[in-house]
């Protein structure tokens, strides 16, 4: 079953975050993931949620998504993301 990593991002250091993006993409691809959404405009349809940036990644399974998140190759980019942005991240099974 497909799995999706959904991230709400508030970028604090735009230059540092661009560097993070350049490093993160290869790690996502290595673990079979792909970007479904990477930024873009958002529109609130209900409620008062106002995310500044949304990223959605698709993986073949929740296990594969966890492997990516915790892999050696993503260790430094992940630290970079934590330094350059505030994030909220969930993992959800899909169809």
């Amino acid at each position: 079953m497909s799995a999706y990593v959904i991230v709400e991002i508030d970028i604090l250091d735009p230059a540092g975050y661009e560097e993070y993006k350049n490093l993160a993409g290869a790690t996502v691809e290595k673990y079979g993931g792909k970007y479904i959404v990477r930024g873009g405009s958002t529109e609130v349809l209900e409620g008062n949620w106002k995310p500044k940036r949304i990223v959605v990644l698709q993986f073949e399974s929740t296990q594969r998504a966890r492997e990516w998140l915790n892999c050696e190759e993503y260790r430094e980019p992940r630290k970079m993301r934590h330094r350059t942005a505030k994030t909220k991240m969930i993992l959800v099974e899909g169809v």
Side-chain angles (χ1 to χ4, degrees):
M1 178 177 291
S2 292
Y4 299 88
V5 175
I6 302 170
V7 191
E8 178 183 356
I9 302 169
D10 183 4
I11 298 171
L12 306 173
D13 172 0
Y17 189 79
E18 282 299 314
E19 186 178 345
Y20 158 76
K21 284 180 13 182
N22 291 333
L23 297 173
T27 67
V28 170
E29 187 176 311
K30 181 175 180 179
Y31 283 80
K34 67 178 180 177
Y35 288 92
I36 303 299
V37 174
R38 194 171 194 184
S41 62
T42 60
E43 177 183 349
V44 177
L45 300 177
E46 292 187 14
N48 59 3
W49 185 28
K50 295 183 182 175
K52 294 183 179 172
R53 180 179 177 85
I54 296 291
V55 173
V56 179
L57 305 168
Q58 180 183 23
F59 290 89
E60 65 187 43
S61 66
T62 57
Q63 177 181 339
R64 199 67 171 148
R66 285 188 196 99
E67 288 172 358
W68 161 73
L69 184 63
N70 297 305
C71 74
E72 181 65 29
E73 300 90 343
Y74 189 57
R75 181 185 306 175
E76 290 305 315
R78 188 177 185 185
K79 288 178 186 176
M80 186 180 295
R81 177 173 50 81
H82 290 161
R83 284 192 308 270
T84 62
K86 291 181 184 177
T87 58
K88 297 177 184 174
M89 182 182 294
I90 63 169
L91 177 59
V92 60
E93 288 184 329
V95 294

